Amino acid sequence: MAPFFLRHDDAVWAAHPRLRAVAVVVEDVLGLDGTTARQEALRAGVDARVAERTESAMPEIAAWRDAFAAMGLKPTQYRCASEALLRRYRKHGDMPVRHPLVDYLNFVSMRFAIPVAALDVGRVAGGLTIRPAHGTEKYETFQGAAEHPAPGEIVYVDEEGHAHSRRWAFRQSARSVVTDRTGRVLVVAEALHENASEDLDALESELLDGLGVHCGPSMRITPDARLFEFEAAEDGALR
């Protein structure tokens, strides 16, 4: 067995000192059920959030817009995942059904306006570093094409140089997307706003309660606790 890790590069911490995160391993995803009722329980909070203010006025989203601007991106062209979900929900009043875990996490993300990533551990080589891209990383689109993130763009990168996200919290790679064959998932929620710690406390509690016995190792990521590490078999399965 080899250790699997998640960490943010020092350059990310230096540029974003308010960064806080939660990482949770979800086990036995193939046996996951009961998330529909849980996400329906979150719906009232999502409805209240979209009724109260626009996405741009939410402090959680505004902080991500600032981070995207710092990467040289137009915040209205590239939106963090939670903003994109909220805008879609506001327009359609519901979300498409994709996968029990992903559907639930989408509602968690919207309820807290915090981006939540879900990655198939078996499709990630060795571990993940969240860092500025060098420009040589390989990103797989959902259309089957290959891209190289721009140098300086923050991405999730594994030990073989695969980029598992573009523009930090904008879009995930098709390489590690959760499917009906996924057994174990790494969930990462990252926040940059002033009350990030308090909101992540509530988000973590929701994940632990909502996923119950499926929750494996977890960690709150702060400037004083930056490395999340756990054991994974050579095939990517957790032990």
Side-chain angles (χ1 to χ4, degrees):
M1 292 187 292
F4 187 101
F5 66 88
L6 172 75
R7 68 180 183 91
H8 293 78
D9 187 79
D10 288 346
V12 175
W13 286 107
H16 305 280
R18 283 185 174 174
L19 169 65
R20 300 293 184 273
V22 169
V24 177
V25 175
V26 186
E27 306 197 57
D28 188 24
V29 174
L30 294 174
L32 185 67
D33 57 15
T35 56
T36 300
R38 194 75 189 194
Q39 71 191 45
E40 286 305 310
L42 292 165
R43 187 184 295 272
V46 177
D47 289 339
R49 176 177 285 280
V50 298
E52 181 182 12
R53 62 184 70 181
T54 62
E55 288 74 30
S56 62
M58 298 176 188
E60 304 91 342
I61 300 297
W64 277 103
R65 286 188 168 208
D66 290 343
F68 276 37
M71 285 190 285
L73 304 172
K74 292 182 179 179
T76 55
Q77 181 178 2
Y78 298 104
R79 305 178 191 275
C80 74
S82 54
E83 180 178 2
L85 289 171
L86 284 164
R87 286 171 60 85
R88 180 168 187 167
Y89 185 84
R90 184 187 295 276
K91 180 177 180 180
H92 298 288
D94 209 347
M95 297 297 291
V97 175
R98 301 188 185 282
H99 182 282
L101 177 61
V102 174
D103 297 344
Y104 166 67
L105 293 177
N106 282 344
F107 271 83
V108 172
S109 179
M110 291 189 293
R111 169 63 183 84
F112 294 97
I114 291 173
V116 178
L119 303 103
D120 184 333
V121 172
R123 299 288 294 160
V124 179
L128 290 165
T129 300
I130 301 169
R131 61 164 173 79
H134 300 151
T136 58
E137 298 84 1
K138 301 176 289 273
Y139 173 86
E140 297 178 18
T141 74
F142 285 88
Q143 293 72 42
E147 298 177 352
H148 295 288
E153 172 189 329
I154 296 176
V155 291
Y156 283 46
V157 184
D158 71 17
E159 293 293 271
E160 293 181 354
H162 297 287
H164 292 267
S165 75
R166 286 296 312 268
R167 303 173 184 91
W168 200 347
F170 169 64
R171 183 166 293 161
Q172 187 174 337
S173 167
R175 183 176 182 83
S176 53
V177 70
V178 176
T179 71
D180 58 6
R181 299 181 300 278
T182 300
R184 292 174 173 85
V185 172
L186 174 64
V187 174
V188 185
E190 297 168 287
L192 300 167
H193 61 290
E194 184 176 358
N195 295 324
S197 292
E198 294 85 348
D199 291 340
L200 284 171
D201 282 342
L203 188 152
E204 182 179 22
S205 293
E206 168 58 38
L207 292 179
L208 297 179
D209 291 343
L211 297 172
V213 298
H214 295 276
C215 279
S218 64
M219 178 178 170
R220 282 295 306 278
I221 297 170
T222 70
D224 297 323
R226 302 185 180 188
L227 178 65
F228 179 43
E229 195 170 27
F230 50 89
E231 291 298 317
E234 291 183 0
D235 62 358
L238 300 185
R239 294 292 185 263

